Amino acid sequence: MSRALAEEILARIREHGPLPVSEYMRLALFHPEHGYYRTHAAIGARGDFITAPEISQMFGELIGLWAAELWAALGRPPTLHLVELGPGRGTLMADALRAAAKASPDFRAAIDLHLVEINPELRRRQGEALAAARPHWHDDLGTVPTRPAIVIANEFFDALPVDQVVRTEAGWRQRVVEHADGRLVFGHGDPVAKPAEAPVGSVFELSPEREMIAARLFERIASQRGAALIIDYGSMSALGDSLQAVRAHQKVEPLAEPGDADLTAHVDFSRLTALAGAAGAVAHGPVPQGAFLRRLGIAARAATLLRAATPAQKRDIEQAMRRLIEPDEMGTLFQALAVTAPGLPIPPGFDV
Ligand code: SAH
């Protein structure tokens, strides 16, 4: 599979010249026939990478309770769009709906579920995990009908293509993918305007595609009321080469296996925060995932689960909690950002 895509990319480069990094990423992830997100059901212990909701049910449950509080803050509307961007195997949402139904049956009854997903195999899995909630699927946010919405996005933005620019001795250049000896290699393209003060060798990342999706999302939140919760790899900076490929839980060369490895890049939360403000919405955070989950009560939830657990389950629960919150695991590498319509209170987990 990947060979076919690598050959196609090489042929394109020979014919039309080097590709910007974003174009390479777009082909590797979204090529209609061979793209990674078209062909691989990537997530889980037997897939290529594992995500927070796949580590523990507590993650989705706490997000379900978070959404219930937001629904109350919105004035308990009788119908609310609960939207997830890139729901993976549907695990987060299944856990969230179960917790919501228990804590707030009125909220659960108000939910009209909308899933934005392009991968047919993952859509099928989501359909199995969430059949009882009768979800509606969309290729992008544009077709989700207007109405107050709570939008969840876990590890969604990091999958959208980024461009990179590099500081060389001769100034800033676009980073491109070209070919050498029949292989894909990185090179330097056209000069670009200086994006930041940084020493020679520095890489700066930017993503028009993420910004477009984020801007549309935040405009919707501001004008139709609602809130978004975005959790992802990232920081408040765009400096640094964060492009990373993972296959079967191992890091691989980003150019080695297009279409067969997951490709991600860190999210620049400072851009998302600025875009929220520009759209007339309010950004809260980002806060590190560990702090966010602690404030939502992960320790109390774990204690409840531990009471009914076998010794083996106890070890799993404790290990899962550590993976989600400890600084040397996902606790600080991942950040949570909430974006709300003006006039809403500070959402749970974001008050300091
Ligand atoms: N949120 C899930 C999955 C994260 S992986 C979890 O935490 O486990 C990224 C998800 O986004 C996958 O479901 C992938 O198929 C989907 N996806 C990636 N790019 C997309 C796009 N442009 N539009 C819609 N879905 C996309």
Side-chain angles (χ1 to χ4, degrees):
M1 193 68 85
S2 80
R3 217 42 240 164
L5 185 55
E7 288 304 330
E8 184 174 325
I9 293 173
L10 281 165
R12 262 187 207 224
I13 293 172
R14 284 192 196 100
E15 200 171 329
H16 303 292
L19 297 175
V21 171
S22 61
E23 193 53 38
Y24 171 76
M25 218 172 149
R26 188 168 298 115
L27 288 166
L29 294 177
F30 305 115
H31 183 283
E33 221 179 312
H34 306 303
Y36 182 78
Y37 279 116
R38 306 281 183 189
T39 56
H40 288 60
I43 310 148
R46 288 164 59 199
D48 292 307
F49 60 97
I50 193 136
T51 57
E54 303 294 334
I55 291 174
S56 167
Q57 71 188 75
M58 295 186 284
F59 189 80
E61 289 170 347
L62 293 170
I63 289 177
L65 301 180
W66 185 91
E69 298 242 357
L70 262 298
W71 171 75
L74 284 164
R76 306 169 66 89
T79 309
L80 172 100
H81 285 340
L82 185 59
V83 183
E84 188 174 0
L85 308 180
R89 302 189 344 164
T91 310
L92 186 162
M93 190 52 74
D95 293 335
L97 292 176
R98 191 182 58 250
K102 213 164 163 198
S104 175
D106 290 348
F107 169 53
R108 178 64 194 83
I111 291 172
D112 187 1
L113 185 61
H114 292 265
L115 307 175
V116 177
E117 175 61 66
I118 52 160
N119 179 317
E121 173 58 19
L122 288 177
R123 276 192 183 198
R124 197 184 62 71
R125 302 250 178 127
Q126 292 154 19
E128 283 171 12
L130 299 166
R134 292 203 302 261
H136 308 275
W137 279 274
H138 305 267
D139 288 333
D140 65 60
L141 195 63
T143 52
V144 177
T146 54
R147 162 167 291 165
I150 295 176
V151 181
I152 311 292
N154 185 60
E155 290 206 44
F156 171 75
F157 282 95
D158 70 353
L160 301 176
V162 292
D163 273 309
Q164 295 184 321
V165 295
V166 193
R167 168 89 200 272
T168 68
E169 297 285 356
W172 287 89
R173 295 289 148 93
Q174 180 156 53
R175 197 171 189 215
V176 293
V177 177
E178 51 194 25
H179 73 93
D181 306 326
R183 288 177 42 238
L184 296 168
V185 294
F186 285 114
H188 297 152
D190 292 337
V192 293
K194 174 170 83 178
E197 282 306 336
V200 168
S202 302
V203 172
F204 185 93
E205 296 180 334
L206 55 165
S207 175
E209 189 154 338
R210 288 178 185 173
E211 297 204 0
M212 207 183 68
I213 292 177
R216 276 172 51 200
L217 170 63
F218 300 156
E219 277 155 22
R220 182 190 165 114
I221 297 286
S223 67
Q224 289 157 36
R225 301 196 23 94
L229 177 64
I230 295 167
I231 303 178
D232 232 310
Y233 272 112
S235 66
M236 288 296 269
S237 164
L239 266 180
D241 174 7
S242 73
L243 188 66
Q244 166 178 308
V246 170
R247 182 175 190 185
H249 306 278
Q250 302 288 325
K251 280 194 187 181
V252 296
E253 250 297 300
L255 302 183
E257 306 178 45
D260 277 342
D262 184 38
L263 268 183
T264 58
H266 286 191
V267 171
D268 173 9
F269 280 96
S270 69
R271 282 303 299 153
L272 295 187
T273 305
L275 288 167
V282 184
H284 308 270
V287 301
Q289 172 172 302
F292 177 63
L293 295 176
R294 277 183 214 275
R295 289 178 194 164
L296 294 187
I298 192 169
R301 182 66 190 126
T304 306
L305 291 174
L306 286 171
R307 277 202 289 279
T310 64
Q313 288 169 333
K314 281 196 171 117
R315 272 195 306 279
D316 285 352
I317 294 164
E318 277 159 359
Q319 195 197 3
M321 183 160 91
R322 273 200 304 279
R323 282 184 75 182
L324 292 177
I325 66 178
E326 288 301 326
D328 56 345
E329 301 268 357
M330 299 175 82
T332 48
L333 190 55
F334 282 76
Q335 303 279 322
L337 176 76
V339 174
T340 62
L344 288 181
I346 296 173
F350 291 92
D351 37 349
V352 271

